[in-house]
Amino acid sequence: MTRFEWDELEEQRGTFFRFYSQLINFRKEHPLLGRPEFLSTGDITWHEDNWLDPESRFLAFTLHDRGQGCGDLYAAFNAHHFEIPIVLPPCGDGNHWCRVVDSNLPAPKDFTIGGNKDVDSAYTIAPFSSILLMGKA
């Protein structure tokens, strides 16, 4: 029922297990994730322009900081067999994007606690990978 081999936990502690543990902690701690109310139009911007294309395997959106004091979050998921070059939307409140997750990068670069600095506005998302960016001052 899962792709994780629990009897190999110790072998995976520095890669798979570390990545998902950090991801769970990030989700628990970030105010824009796990909200008790539904998102309104002002809370999210969808960056998908192929909604009617059944072949589209790319999804991207920005969750907006509406006074929570945490900065915007940008998430993109590429389920294609090819890379997707994108131009990132502007980050709110004069902030800049910092990469928290790029699932294509090798461990431990795939998850950066607190985010790295200054992601370029042009980003390429590898096949079968996802990214999560956080807006910071």
Side-chain angles (χ1 to χ4, degrees):
M1 298 190 65
T2 179
R3 71 179 206 135
F4 190 73
E5 299 289 338
W6 288 101
D7 55 341
E8 296 177 12
L9 178 61
E10 287 307 314
E11 295 172 27
Q12 299 290 328
R13 188 164 298 280
T15 56
F16 188 88
F17 182 77
R18 176 206 46 83
F19 177 84
Y20 283 101
S21 294
Q22 290 176 341
L23 195 59
I24 290 167
N25 287 336
F26 184 83
R27 185 229 175 262
K28 286 179 180 178
E29 295 171 3
H30 203 284
L32 296 183
L33 302 173
R35 297 165 34 147
E37 67 278 346
F38 286 110
L39 297 173
S40 68
T41 305
D43 294 329
I44 189 168
T45 300
W46 293 97
H47 305 293
E48 174 62 69
D49 59 1
N50 292 317
W51 289 109
L52 300 177
D53 181 358
E55 298 300 315
S56 179
R57 307 266 189 273
F58 180 78
L59 181 66
F61 59 88
T62 300
L63 294 174
H64 300 287
D65 178 353
R66 298 288 184 222
Q68 293 96 334
C70 54
D72 292 350
L73 285 178
Y74 175 87
F77 306 90
N78 180 13
H80 284 289
H81 292 326
F82 51 86
E83 60 187 26
I84 302 285
I86 60 168
V87 176
L88 295 171
C91 191
D93 296 329
N95 291 340
H96 60 274
W97 292 118
C98 296
R99 187 185 67 243
V100 177
V101 173
D102 186 332
S103 64
N104 183 59
L105 297 176
K109 294 180 181 180
D110 55 355
F111 193 105
T112 304
I113 296 173
N116 71 344
K117 298 288 183 192
D118 297 325
V119 173
D120 291 334
S121 61
Y123 202 99
T124 301
I125 304 175
F128 301 106
S129 67
S130 59
I131 64 169
L132 178 63
L133 310 177
M134 177 173 48
K136 294 181 90 173

